[in-house]
Amino acid sequence: MAETWFTIHRSSLHQAFSCVMGAVEVRNTIPILSHVLLEPSADAVLLRGSNLDMQIDAECEAISVEQEIPFAIPADKFKAILSTLPESSEIAFAPGRSKDSITISAGHFRSTIPFLPAADFPLITSKAPLEWTAIVGNPLSKAIDKAGYALPKTNDRPYLTGFCVHRERGGDGIVVAATDGLSLARVSAATGACPPLPAPRNSFPHIILPARAADSIRKLFDGAGQGCTIAVTDAQLAVKLDGVTITTKLIDGIYPEYERVIPAQGDQRIGMKTESLSASIKRVCVMIDDAKRDALFLRISDGLVNVDLASLDGGAAHDAIDADIEAPEGLEVSLNGLQVAKTLASISSPEVDFYITAEKRIVVRPIGAPGETYVLSPMVPRFGVEP
């Protein structure tokens, strides 16, 4: 058998590989982008995935490195091999049967896979030096998770397809915001610090973080405390934790000054149990035929919040829940039921306040979570629902 280049524990390799797969598209039309780069050094192996807009690097400790020969192997085939090997396996990499292939072995298992030259693998570099700022990672992960439902599903306005990220006003945390025009989510993350952000012309200092990169950052920082670092330039954002580095290009554009459209909450308030309201809306929304036209009605009557919906095909549903009401009898608002359900699903507080404005917009404030603000816009119903 040919001399082994390097050997790695399957557990270490699988963890690093799972990280870099966040940037890999296995069906990419550019062959090298469906591959993962493996680059051995003295006592570790660097794995890298890239889709040209985002790059993820992850280091894993090697058992031994005999030759520091880098190469790129197909991600889908490598993933299938790793998923079938025992957790305790020691995986060895050695020359294959041809000059453009490599042999992967573990115990009695052998497989020869063609590879592409490491020199062909793309590298995202920064034109400006990265200035790293230490933060607490888990709050940022939670903020991305909570605001994600408000991202639009279409890309007709590219600057809205990402998260607006900026410094907390008057604080040292990071704010994550998203809006699709129907709903808006603004969540403050108590990260303890915020890196310097570029100031676009005639706008506030902020960046627009692509959704896919944000999801990878969310997974990396989930549950993480100290040890997380972040750096931002005019065109890129990078984060690091435990040998993993995510580098992403930012969306080129200027995010609207969304805080200007968050209405004053006013004095008409409905306080409800989050779980009760969520369950009621889910039950009623079963009757939706057309989510863009079938409106959900919330109406105050006899000290209860009545939840109603009627569809074009004749289906209807009604429910009512107890509430702490500081609003006039008969007050009614019509909303997109699915958007309300998504908003409530992102709220972990047991109680929530709905503040109804004069324009029938609703400012949602979770009790005990002052850093979270959600806004729901009214929906024009195609027909009403009788009380």
Side-chain angles (χ1 to χ4, degrees), residues 74-91:
D76 55 348
K77 290 184 171 60
F78 193 39
K79 179 180 179 180
I81 291 173
L82 284 178
S83 65
T84 60
L85 292 175
E87 184 73 14
S88 59
S89 299
E90 294 183 1
I91 304 175

Side-chain angles (χ1 to χ4, degrees), residues 265-272 300 303-305 323-329 331 353-357:
Q265 61 187 35
D267 55 4
Q268 294 187 349
R269 182 188 68 86
I270 307 174
M272 294 164 284
I300 297 174
L304 299 173
V305 173
D324 177 18
I325 300 172
E326 297 177 4
E329 180 80 2
L331 176 67
D353 282 339
F354 275 28
Y355 291 91
I356 299 92
T357 69

